[in-house]
PDB file of all heavy atoms in Angstrom:
ATOM      1  N   ILE L 792      19.591   6.459  -0.894  1.00  0.00           N
ATOM      2  CA  ILE L 792      18.930   6.398   0.412  1.00  0.00           C
ATOM      3  C   ILE L 792      19.102   4.999   0.976  1.00  0.00           C
ATOM      4  O   ILE L 792      18.426   4.061   0.550  1.00  0.00           O
ATOM      5  CB  ILE L 792      17.425   6.735   0.298  1.00  0.00           C
ATOM      6  CG1 ILE L 792      17.243   8.115  -0.338  1.00  0.00           C
ATOM      7  CG2 ILE L 792      16.761   6.700   1.675  1.00  0.00           C
ATOM      8  CD1 ILE L 792      15.810   8.446  -0.659  1.00  0.00           C
ATOM      9  N   HIS L 793      20.004   4.841   1.897  1.00  0.00           N
ATOM     10  CA  HIS L 793      20.290   3.530   2.467  1.00  0.00           C
ATOM     11  C   HIS L 793      19.612   3.407   3.835  1.00  0.00           C
ATOM     12  O   HIS L 793      20.096   3.940   4.826  1.00  0.00           O
ATOM     13  CB  HIS L 793      21.794   3.312   2.586  1.00  0.00           C
ATOM     14  CG  HIS L 793      22.528   3.438   1.281  1.00  0.00           C
ATOM     15  ND1 HIS L 793      22.419   2.497   0.292  1.00  0.00           N
ATOM     16  CD2 HIS L 793      23.345   4.405   0.802  1.00  0.00           C
ATOM     17  CE1 HIS L 793      23.161   2.863  -0.752  1.00  0.00           C
ATOM     18  NE2 HIS L 793      23.727   4.019  -0.467  1.00  0.00           N
ATOM     19  N   LEU L 794      18.475   2.712   3.839  1.00  0.00           N
ATOM     20  CA  LEU L 794      17.769   2.506   5.100  1.00  0.00           C
ATOM     21  C   LEU L 794      18.549   1.538   5.990  1.00  0.00           C
ATOM     22  O   LEU L 794      19.138   0.565   5.502  1.00  0.00           O
ATOM     23  CB  LEU L 794      16.372   1.939   4.828  1.00  0.00           C
ATOM     24  CG  LEU L 794      15.370   2.886   4.159  1.00  0.00           C
ATOM     25  CD1 LEU L 794      14.126   2.120   3.739  1.00  0.00           C
ATOM     26  CD2 LEU L 794      14.998   4.022   5.090  1.00  0.00           C
ATOM     27  N   ASN L 795      18.541   1.797   7.268  1.00  0.00           N
ATOM     28  CA  ASN L 795      19.241   0.942   8.225  1.00  0.00           C
ATOM     29  C   ASN L 795      18.357  -0.246   8.605  1.00  0.00           C
ATOM     30  O   ASN L 795      17.865  -0.367   9.727  1.00  0.00           O
ATOM     31  CB  ASN L 795      19.613   1.758   9.468  1.00  0.00           C
ATOM     32  CG  ASN L 795      20.486   0.967  10.431  1.00  0.00           C
ATOM     33  OD1 ASN L 795      21.170   0.016  10.032  1.00  0.00           O
ATOM     34  ND2 ASN L 795      20.458   1.345  11.699  1.00  0.00           N
ATOM     35  N   ILE L 796      18.138  -1.126   7.628  1.00  0.00           N
ATOM     36  CA  ILE L 796      17.276  -2.298   7.807  1.00  0.00           C
ATOM     37  C   ILE L 796      17.923  -3.496   7.124  1.00  0.00           C
ATOM     38  O   ILE L 796      18.814  -3.338   6.296  1.00  0.00           O
ATOM     39  CB  ILE L 796      15.856  -2.069   7.226  1.00  0.00           C
ATOM     40  CG1 ILE L 796      15.945  -1.619   5.763  1.00  0.00           C
ATOM     41  CG2 ILE L 796      15.090  -1.050   8.054  1.00  0.00           C
ATOM     42  CD1 ILE L 796      14.611  -1.392   5.097  1.00  0.00           C
ATOM     43  N   THR L 797      17.446  -4.684   7.447  1.00  0.00           N
ATOM     44  CA  THR L 797      17.986  -5.893   6.825  1.00  0.00           C
ATOM     45  C   THR L 797      17.497  -5.993   5.379  1.00  0.00           C
ATOM     46  O   THR L 797      16.476  -5.395   5.009  1.00  0.00           O
ATOM     47  CB  THR L 797      17.540  -7.150   7.589  1.00  0.00           C
ATOM     48  OG1 THR L 797      16.111  -7.291   7.466  1.00  0.00           O
ATOM     49  CG2 THR L 797      17.931  -7.065   9.058  1.00  0.00           C
ATOM     50  N   GLU L 798      18.204  -6.755   4.570  1.00  0.00           N
ATOM     51  CA  GLU L 798      17.821  -6.936   3.166  1.00  0.00           C
ATOM     52  C   GLU L 798      16.454  -7.608   3.059  1.00  0.00           C
ATOM     53  O   GLU L 798      15.654  -7.273   2.195  1.00  0.00           O
ATOM     54  CB  GLU L 798      18.873  -7.770   2.439  1.00  0.00           C
ATOM     55  CG  GLU L 798      20.097  -6.986   2.017  1.00  0.00           C
ATOM     56  CD  GLU L 798      19.773  -5.852   1.063  1.00  0.00           C
ATOM     57  OE1 GLU L 798      18.997  -6.078   0.110  1.00  0.00           O
ATOM     58  OE2 GLU L 798      20.287  -4.738   1.270  1.00  0.00           O
ATOM     59  N   ALA L 799      16.201  -8.577   3.950  1.00  0.00           N
ATOM     60  CA  ALA L 799      14.911  -9.289   3.917  1.00  0.00           C
ATOM     61  C   ALA L 799      13.753  -8.337   4.217  1.00  0.00           C
ATOM     62  O   ALA L 799      12.714  -8.375   3.558  1.00  0.00           O
ATOM     63  CB  ALA L 799      14.920 -10.439   4.928  1.00  0.00           C
ATOM     64  N   PHE L 800      13.956  -7.480   5.218  1.00  0.00           N
ATOM     65  CA  PHE L 800      12.896  -6.523   5.559  1.00  0.00           C
ATOM     66  C   PHE L 800      12.718  -5.495   4.453  1.00  0.00           C
ATOM     67  O   PHE L 800      11.593  -5.113   4.118  1.00  0.00           O
ATOM     68  CB  PHE L 800      13.204  -5.818   6.880  1.00  0.00           C
ATOM     69  CG  PHE L 800      12.157  -4.810   7.270  1.00  0.00           C
ATOM     70  CD1 PHE L 800      10.961  -5.218   7.849  1.00  0.00           C
ATOM     71  CD2 PHE L 800      12.349  -3.454   7.045  1.00  0.00           C
ATOM     72  CE1 PHE L 800       9.984  -4.295   8.196  1.00  0.00           C
ATOM     73  CE2 PHE L 800      11.383  -2.523   7.384  1.00  0.00           C
ATOM     74  CZ  PHE L 800      10.190  -2.947   7.963  1.00  0.00           C
ATOM     75  N   LYS L 801      13.807  -5.030   3.857  1.00  0.00           N
ATOM     76  CA  LYS L 801      13.720  -4.034   2.785  1.00  0.00           C
ATOM     77  C   LYS L 801      12.953  -4.582   1.592  1.00  0.00           C
ATOM     78  O   LYS L 801      12.124  -3.876   1.004  1.00  0.00           O
ATOM     79  CB  LYS L 801      15.119  -3.590   2.342  1.00  0.00           C
ATOM     80  CG  LYS L 801      15.085  -2.492   1.285  1.00  0.00           C
ATOM     81  CD  LYS L 801      16.463  -1.955   0.969  1.00  0.00           C
ATOM     82  CE  LYS L 801      17.252  -2.892   0.106  1.00  0.00           C
ATOM     83  NZ  LYS L 801      18.509  -2.271  -0.397  1.00  0.00           N
ATOM     84  N   GLU L 802      13.225  -5.831   1.230  1.00  0.00           N
ATOM     85  CA  GLU L 802      12.521  -6.456   0.111  1.00  0.00           C
ATOM     86  C   GLU L 802      11.015  -6.488   0.360  1.00  0.00           C
ATOM     87  O   GLU L 802      10.220  -6.213  -0.532  1.00  0.00           O
ATOM     88  CB  GLU L 802      13.044  -7.883  -0.110  1.00  0.00           C
ATOM     89  CG  GLU L 802      12.405  -8.579  -1.303  1.00  0.00           C
ATOM     90  CD  GLU L 802      12.879 -10.015  -1.450  1.00  0.00           C
ATOM     91  OE1 GLU L 802      13.880 -10.393  -0.807  1.00  0.00           O
ATOM     92  OE2 GLU L 802      12.234 -10.767  -2.210  1.00  0.00           O
ATOM     93  N   MET L 803      10.637  -6.821   1.593  1.00  0.00           N
ATOM     94  CA  MET L 803       9.223  -6.850   1.952  1.00  0.00           C
ATOM     95  C   MET L 803       8.651  -5.431   2.030  1.00  0.00           C
ATOM     96  O   MET L 803       7.568  -5.140   1.510  1.00  0.00           O
ATOM     97  CB  MET L 803       9.048  -7.570   3.295  1.00  0.00           C
ATOM     98  CG  MET L 803       7.608  -7.672   3.807  1.00  0.00           C
ATOM     99  SD  MET L 803       7.042  -6.213   4.717  1.00  0.00           S
ATOM    100  CE  MET L 803       8.158  -6.223   6.122  1.00  0.00           C
ATOM    101  N   PHE L 804       9.379  -4.525   2.660  1.00  0.00           N
ATOM    102  CA  PHE L 804       8.933  -3.147   2.876  1.00  0.00           C
ATOM    103  C   PHE L 804       8.607  -2.432   1.566  1.00  0.00           C
ATOM    104  O   PHE L 804       7.569  -1.764   1.447  1.00  0.00           O
ATOM    105  CB  PHE L 804      10.013  -2.381   3.644  1.00  0.00           C
ATOM    106  CG  PHE L 804       9.796  -0.892   3.704  1.00  0.00           C
ATOM    107  CD1 PHE L 804       8.819  -0.354   4.528  1.00  0.00           C
ATOM    108  CD2 PHE L 804      10.576  -0.032   2.939  1.00  0.00           C
ATOM    109  CE1 PHE L 804       8.616   1.026   4.589  1.00  0.00           C
ATOM    110  CE2 PHE L 804      10.381   1.342   2.989  1.00  0.00           C
ATOM    111  CZ  PHE L 804       9.395   1.872   3.808  1.00  0.00           C
ATOM    112  N   LEU L 805       9.472  -2.575   0.557  1.00  0.00           N
ATOM    113  CA  LEU L 805       9.288  -1.871  -0.705  1.00  0.00           C
ATOM    114  C   LEU L 805       8.069  -2.354  -1.485  1.00  0.00           C
ATOM    115  O   LEU L 805       7.606  -1.677  -2.399  1.00  0.00           O
ATOM    116  CB  LEU L 805      10.554  -1.997  -1.566  1.00  0.00           C
ATOM    117  CG  LEU L 805      11.787  -1.270  -1.029  1.00  0.00           C
ATOM    118  CD1 LEU L 805      12.978  -1.504  -1.929  1.00  0.00           C
ATOM    119  CD2 LEU L 805      11.527   0.224  -0.864  1.00  0.00           C
ATOM    120  N   VAL L 806       7.556  -3.520  -1.117  1.00  0.00           N
ATOM    121  CA  VAL L 806       6.329  -4.029  -1.743  1.00  0.00           C
ATOM    122  C   VAL L 806       5.113  -3.702  -0.881  1.00  0.00           C
ATOM    123  O   VAL L 806       4.102  -3.180  -1.373  1.00  0.00           O
ATOM    124  CB  VAL L 806       6.414  -5.550  -1.983  1.00  0.00           C
ATOM    125  CG1 VAL L 806       5.070  -6.082  -2.502  1.00  0.00           C
ATOM    126  CG2 VAL L 806       7.526  -5.876  -2.972  1.00  0.00           C
ATOM    127  N   VAL L 807       5.191  -3.974   0.409  1.00  0.00           N
ATOM    128  CA  VAL L 807       4.046  -3.809   1.312  1.00  0.00           C
ATOM    129  C   VAL L 807       3.686  -2.340   1.500  1.00  0.00           C
ATOM    130  O   VAL L 807       2.528  -2.005   1.788  1.00  0.00           O
ATOM    131  CB  VAL L 807       4.311  -4.496   2.662  1.00  0.00           C
ATOM    132  CG1 VAL L 807       3.170  -4.268   3.643  1.00  0.00           C
ATOM    133  CG2 VAL L 807       4.509  -5.993   2.451  1.00  0.00           C
ATOM    134  N   ILE L 808       4.636  -1.447   1.288  1.00  0.00           N
ATOM    135  CA  ILE L 808       4.351  -0.016   1.373  1.00  0.00           C
ATOM    136  C   ILE L 808       3.264   0.381   0.373  1.00  0.00           C
ATOM    137  O   ILE L 808       2.555   1.371   0.550  1.00  0.00           O
ATOM    138  CB  ILE L 808       5.644   0.806   1.143  1.00  0.00           C
ATOM    139  CG1 ILE L 808       5.433   2.264   1.537  1.00  0.00           C
ATOM    140  CG2 ILE L 808       6.103   0.697  -0.287  1.00  0.00           C
ATOM    141  CD1 ILE L 808       6.683   3.108   1.388  1.00  0.00           C
ATOM    142  N   GLN L 809       3.113  -0.442  -0.687  1.00  0.00           N
ATOM    143  CA  GLN L 809       2.077  -0.192  -1.685  1.00  0.00           C
ATOM    144  C   GLN L 809       0.675  -0.286  -1.095  1.00  0.00           C
ATOM    145  O   GLN L 809      -0.278   0.235  -1.681  1.00  0.00           O
ATOM    146  CB  GLN L 809       2.198  -1.205  -2.831  1.00  0.00           C
ATOM    147  CG  GLN L 809       3.490  -1.118  -3.615  1.00  0.00           C
ATOM    148  CD  GLN L 809       3.610  -2.231  -4.646  1.00  0.00           C
ATOM    149  OE1 GLN L 809       2.849  -3.201  -4.637  1.00  0.00           O
ATOM    150  NE2 GLN L 809       4.552  -2.095  -5.550  1.00  0.00           N
ATOM    151  N   PHE L 810       0.561  -0.929   0.056  1.00  0.00           N
ATOM    152  CA  PHE L 810      -0.747  -1.053   0.698  1.00  0.00           C
ATOM    153  C   PHE L 810      -1.341   0.327   0.983  1.00  0.00           C
ATOM    154  O   PHE L 810      -2.550   0.522   0.916  1.00  0.00           O
ATOM    155  CB  PHE L 810      -0.630  -1.861   1.993  1.00  0.00           C
ATOM    156  CG  PHE L 810      -1.947  -2.196   2.621  1.00  0.00           C
ATOM    157  CD1 PHE L 810      -2.835  -3.052   1.996  1.00  0.00           C
ATOM    158  CD2 PHE L 810      -2.317  -1.635   3.834  1.00  0.00           C
ATOM    159  CE1 PHE L 810      -4.068  -3.351   2.563  1.00  0.00           C
ATOM    160  CE2 PHE L 810      -3.537  -1.931   4.422  1.00  0.00           C
ATOM    161  CZ  PHE L 810      -4.428  -2.789   3.782  1.00  0.00           C
ATOM    162  N   GLY L 811      -0.475   1.296   1.287  1.00  0.00           N
ATOM    163  CA  GLY L 811      -0.951   2.659   1.501  1.00  0.00           C
ATOM    164  C   GLY L 811      -1.568   3.234   0.242  1.00  0.00           C
ATOM    165  O   GLY L 811      -2.584   3.950   0.297  1.00  0.00           O
ATOM    166  N   SER L 812      -0.970   2.922  -0.905  1.00  0.00           N
ATOM    167  CA  SER L 812      -1.501   3.384  -2.184  1.00  0.00           C
ATOM    168  C   SER L 812      -2.856   2.741  -2.488  1.00  0.00           C
ATOM    169  O   SER L 812      -3.754   3.384  -3.028  1.00  0.00           O
ATOM    170  CB  SER L 812      -0.500   3.078  -3.309  1.00  0.00           C
ATOM    171  OG  SER L 812       0.713   3.778  -3.097  1.00  0.00           O
ATOM    172  N   ILE L 813      -2.993   1.460  -2.130  1.00  0.00           N
ATOM    173  CA  ILE L 813      -4.277   0.769  -2.321  1.00  0.00           C
ATOM    174  C   ILE L 813      -5.359   1.434  -1.481  1.00  0.00           C
ATOM    175  O   ILE L 813      -6.474   1.686  -1.957  1.00  0.00           O
ATOM    176  CB  ILE L 813      -4.170  -0.713  -1.913  1.00  0.00           C
ATOM    177  CG1 ILE L 813      -3.092  -1.432  -2.701  1.00  0.00           C
ATOM    178  CG2 ILE L 813      -5.522  -1.420  -2.113  1.00  0.00           C
ATOM    179  CD1 ILE L 813      -2.780  -2.809  -2.166  1.00  0.00           C
ATOM    180  N   LEU L 814      -5.041   1.711  -0.232  1.00  0.00           N
ATOM    181  CA  LEU L 814      -6.014   2.334   0.671  1.00  0.00           C
ATOM    182  C   LEU L 814      -6.464   3.689   0.147  1.00  0.00           C
ATOM    183  O   LEU L 814      -7.610   4.099   0.356  1.00  0.00           O
ATOM    184  CB  LEU L 814      -5.412   2.484   2.067  1.00  0.00           C
ATOM    185  CG  LEU L 814      -5.167   1.187   2.850  1.00  0.00           C
ATOM    186  CD1 LEU L 814      -4.529   1.502   4.201  1.00  0.00           C
ATOM    187  CD2 LEU L 814      -6.470   0.419   3.050  1.00  0.00           C
ATOM    188  N   ALA L 815      -5.575   4.394  -0.553  1.00  0.00           N
ATOM    189  CA  ALA L 815      -5.934   5.695  -1.124  1.00  0.00           C
ATOM    190  C   ALA L 815      -7.021   5.534  -2.178  1.00  0.00           C
ATOM    191  O   ALA L 815      -7.986   6.306  -2.220  1.00  0.00           O
ATOM    192  CB  ALA L 815      -4.695   6.357  -1.729  1.00  0.00           C
ATOM    193  N   VAL L 816      -6.882   4.522  -3.029  1.00  0.00           N
ATOM    194  CA  VAL L 816      -7.903   4.259  -4.049  1.00  0.00           C
ATOM    195  C   VAL L 816      -9.229   3.894  -3.391  1.00  0.00           C
ATOM    196  O   VAL L 816     -10.293   4.398  -3.771  1.00  0.00           O
ATOM    197  CB  VAL L 816      -7.456   3.113  -4.998  1.00  0.00           C
ATOM    198  CG1 VAL L 816      -8.571   2.762  -5.981  1.00  0.00           C
ATOM    199  CG2 VAL L 816      -6.203   3.513  -5.746  1.00  0.00           C
ATOM    200  N   VAL L 817      -9.167   3.032  -2.390  1.00  0.00           N
ATOM    201  CA  VAL L 817     -10.382   2.612  -1.681  1.00  0.00           C
ATOM    202  C   VAL L 817     -11.050   3.809  -1.008  1.00  0.00           C
ATOM    203  O   VAL L 817     -12.277   3.969  -1.061  1.00  0.00           O
ATOM    204  CB  VAL L 817     -10.056   1.521  -0.642  1.00  0.00           C
ATOM    205  CG1 VAL L 817     -11.286   1.187   0.186  1.00  0.00           C
ATOM    206  CG2 VAL L 817      -9.534   0.263  -1.345  1.00  0.00           C
ATOM    207  N   ALA L 818     -10.254   4.675  -0.386  1.00  0.00           N
ATOM    208  CA  ALA L 818     -10.801   5.843   0.303  1.00  0.00           C
ATOM    209  C   ALA L 818     -11.478   6.805  -0.670  1.00  0.00           C
ATOM    210  O   ALA L 818     -12.530   7.388  -0.361  1.00  0.00           O
ATOM    211  CB  ALA L 818      -9.698   6.570   1.068  1.00  0.00           C
ATOM    212  N   LEU L 819     -10.889   6.982  -1.850  1.00  0.00           N
ATOM    213  CA  LEU L 819     -11.433   7.924  -2.826  1.00  0.00           C
ATOM    214  C   LEU L 819     -12.627   7.367  -3.604  1.00  0.00           C
ATOM    215  O   LEU L 819     -13.515   8.124  -4.006  1.00  0.00           O
ATOM    216  CB  LEU L 819     -10.335   8.338  -3.816  1.00  0.00           C
ATOM    217  CG  LEU L 819      -9.224   9.241  -3.275  1.00  0.00           C
ATOM    218  CD1 LEU L 819      -8.104   9.376  -4.299  1.00  0.00           C
ATOM    219  CD2 LEU L 819      -9.777  10.615  -2.925  1.00  0.00           C
ATOM    220  N   TYR L 820     -12.641   6.053  -3.796  1.00  0.00           N
ATOM    221  CA  TYR L 820     -13.644   5.464  -4.698  1.00  0.00           C
ATOM    222  C   TYR L 820     -14.502   4.384  -4.041  1.00  0.00           C
ATOM    223  O   TYR L 820     -15.129   3.597  -4.739  1.00  0.00           O
ATOM    224  CB  TYR L 820     -12.938   4.834  -5.914  1.00  0.00           C
ATOM    225  CG  TYR L 820     -12.290   5.826  -6.839  1.00  0.00           C
ATOM    226  CD1 TYR L 820     -10.916   6.050  -6.788  1.00  0.00           C
ATOM    227  CD2 TYR L 820     -13.035   6.521  -7.783  1.00  0.00           C
ATOM    228  CE1 TYR L 820     -10.308   6.946  -7.651  1.00  0.00           C
ATOM    229  CE2 TYR L 820     -12.444   7.411  -8.664  1.00  0.00           C
ATOM    230  CZ  TYR L 820     -11.074   7.621  -8.586  1.00  0.00           C
ATOM    231  OH  TYR L 820     -10.476   8.510  -9.450  1.00  0.00           O
ATOM    232  N   TRP L 821     -14.586   4.343  -2.719  1.00  0.00           N
ATOM    233  CA  TRP L 821     -15.223   3.206  -2.054  1.00  0.00           C
ATOM    234  C   TRP L 821     -16.662   2.987  -2.504  1.00  0.00           C
ATOM    235  O   TRP L 821     -17.125   1.853  -2.616  1.00  0.00           O
ATOM    236  CB  TRP L 821     -15.139   3.352  -0.538  1.00  0.00           C
ATOM    237  CG  TRP L 821     -15.925   4.489   0.045  1.00  0.00           C
ATOM    238  CD1 TRP L 821     -15.512   5.774   0.220  1.00  0.00           C
ATOM    239  CD2 TRP L 821     -17.273   4.432   0.514  1.00  0.00           C
ATOM    240  NE1 TRP L 821     -16.506   6.532   0.775  1.00  0.00           N
ATOM    241  CE2 TRP L 821     -17.597   5.734   0.975  1.00  0.00           C
ATOM    242  CE3 TRP L 821     -18.226   3.414   0.618  1.00  0.00           C
ATOM    243  CZ2 TRP L 821     -18.843   6.054   1.500  1.00  0.00           C
ATOM    244  CZ3 TRP L 821     -19.464   3.722   1.159  1.00  0.00           C
ATOM    245  CH2 TRP L 821     -19.769   5.024   1.587  1.00  0.00           C
ATOM    246  N   LYS L 822     -17.370   4.066  -2.816  1.00  0.00           N
ATOM    247  CA  LYS L 822     -18.766   3.904  -3.261  1.00  0.00           C
ATOM    248  C   LYS L 822     -18.849   3.192  -4.609  1.00  0.00           C
ATOM    249  O   LYS L 822     -19.768   2.404  -4.857  1.00  0.00           O
ATOM    250  CB  LYS L 822     -19.455   5.268  -3.353  1.00  0.00           C
ATOM    251  CG  LYS L 822     -19.769   5.891  -2.002  1.00  0.00           C
ATOM    252  CD  LYS L 822     -20.529   7.197  -2.172  1.00  0.00           C
ATOM    253  CE  LYS L 822     -20.867   7.807  -0.816  1.00  0.00           C
ATOM    254  NZ  LYS L 822     -21.603   9.084  -0.960  1.00  0.00           N
ATOM    255  N   ARG L 823     -17.893   3.467  -5.478  1.00  0.00           N
ATOM    256  CA  ARG L 823     -17.880   2.836  -6.804  1.00  0.00           C
ATOM    257  C   ARG L 823     -17.277   1.436  -6.776  1.00  0.00           C
ATOM    258  O   ARG L 823     -17.486   0.647  -7.702  1.00  0.00           O
ATOM    259  CB  ARG L 823     -17.115   3.714  -7.792  1.00  0.00           C
ATOM    260  CG  ARG L 823     -17.830   5.024  -8.108  1.00  0.00           C
ATOM    261  CD  ARG L 823     -17.017   5.887  -9.036  1.00  0.00           C
ATOM    262  NE  ARG L 823     -16.759   5.224 -10.317  1.00  0.00           N
ATOM    263  CZ  ARG L 823     -15.998   5.736 -11.278  1.00  0.00           C
ATOM    264  NH1 ARG L 823     -15.413   6.910 -11.092  1.00  0.00           N
ATOM    265  NH2 ARG L 823     -15.808   5.089 -12.407  1.00  0.00           N
ATOM    266  N   LEU L 824     -16.539   1.128  -5.731  1.00  0.00           N
ATOM    267  CA  LEU L 824     -15.888  -0.177  -5.643  1.00  0.00           C
ATOM    268  C   LEU L 824     -16.737  -1.225  -4.930  1.00  0.00           C
ATOM    269  O   LEU L 824     -16.572  -2.422  -5.168  1.00  0.00           O
ATOM    270  CB  LEU L 824     -14.542  -0.043  -4.914  1.00  0.00           C
ATOM    271  CG  LEU L 824     -13.465   0.799  -5.614  1.00  0.00           C
ATOM    272  CD1 LEU L 824     -12.247   0.953  -4.720  1.00  0.00           C
ATOM    273  CD2 LEU L 824     -13.068   0.173  -6.945  1.00  0.00           C
ATOM    274  N   LEU L 825     -17.651  -0.782  -4.075  1.00  0.00           N
ATOM    275  CA  LEU L 825     -18.492  -1.735  -3.340  1.00  0.00           C
ATOM    276  C   LEU L 825     -19.536  -2.354  -4.268  1.00  0.00           C
ATOM    277  O   LEU L 825     -20.309  -1.636  -4.901  1.00  0.00           O
ATOM    278  CB  LEU L 825     -19.205  -1.033  -2.182  1.00  0.00           C
ATOM    279  CG  LEU L 825     -18.408  -0.823  -0.887  1.00  0.00           C
ATOM    280  CD1 LEU L 825     -19.256  -0.062   0.120  1.00  0.00           C
ATOM    281  CD2 LEU L 825     -17.950  -2.144  -0.308  1.00  0.00           C
ATOM    282  N   PRO L 826     -19.583  -3.672  -4.349  1.00  0.00           N
ATOM    283  CA  PRO L 826     -20.565  -4.323  -5.229  1.00  0.00           C
ATOM    284  C   PRO L 826     -21.967  -4.395  -4.628  1.00  0.00           C
ATOM    285  O   PRO L 826     -22.889  -4.888  -5.267  1.00  0.00           O
ATOM    286  CB  PRO L 826     -19.988  -5.726  -5.422  1.00  0.00           C
ATOM    287  CG  PRO L 826     -19.203  -5.971  -4.180  1.00  0.00           C
ATOM    288  CD  PRO L 826     -18.656  -4.643  -3.742  1.00  0.00           C
ATOM    289  N   VAL L 827     -22.105  -3.928  -3.388  1.00  0.00           N
ATOM    290  CA  VAL L 827     -23.423  -3.945  -2.741  1.00  0.00           C
ATOM    291  C   VAL L 827     -23.733  -2.558  -2.190  1.00  0.00           C
ATOM    292  O   VAL L 827     -22.836  -1.748  -1.939  1.00  0.00           O
ATOM    293  CB  VAL L 827     -23.488  -4.971  -1.586  1.00  0.00           C
ATOM    294  CG1 VAL L 827     -23.356  -6.379  -2.107  1.00  0.00           C
ATOM    295  CG2 VAL L 827     -22.426  -4.671  -0.537  1.00  0.00           C
ATOM    296  N   SER L 828     -25.023  -2.272  -2.028  1.00  0.00           N
ATOM    297  CA  SER L 828     -25.462  -1.003  -1.449  1.00  0.00           C
ATOM    298  C   SER L 828     -26.680  -1.257  -0.574  1.00  0.00           C
ATOM    299  O   SER L 828     -27.346  -2.305  -0.683  1.00  0.00           O
ATOM    300  CB  SER L 828     -25.804  -0.001  -2.554  1.00  0.00           C
ATOM    301  OG  SER L 828     -26.821  -0.500  -3.395  1.00  0.00           O
TER     302      SER L 828
END
């Protein structure tokens, strides 16, 4: 899969895309992750 993007952007994209995965954990477990109530 060759994305039509620069090498610099691809290097950043393949890491920052993980932010979506982080948000999934926060969305599913936000009550258990918040240290305050």
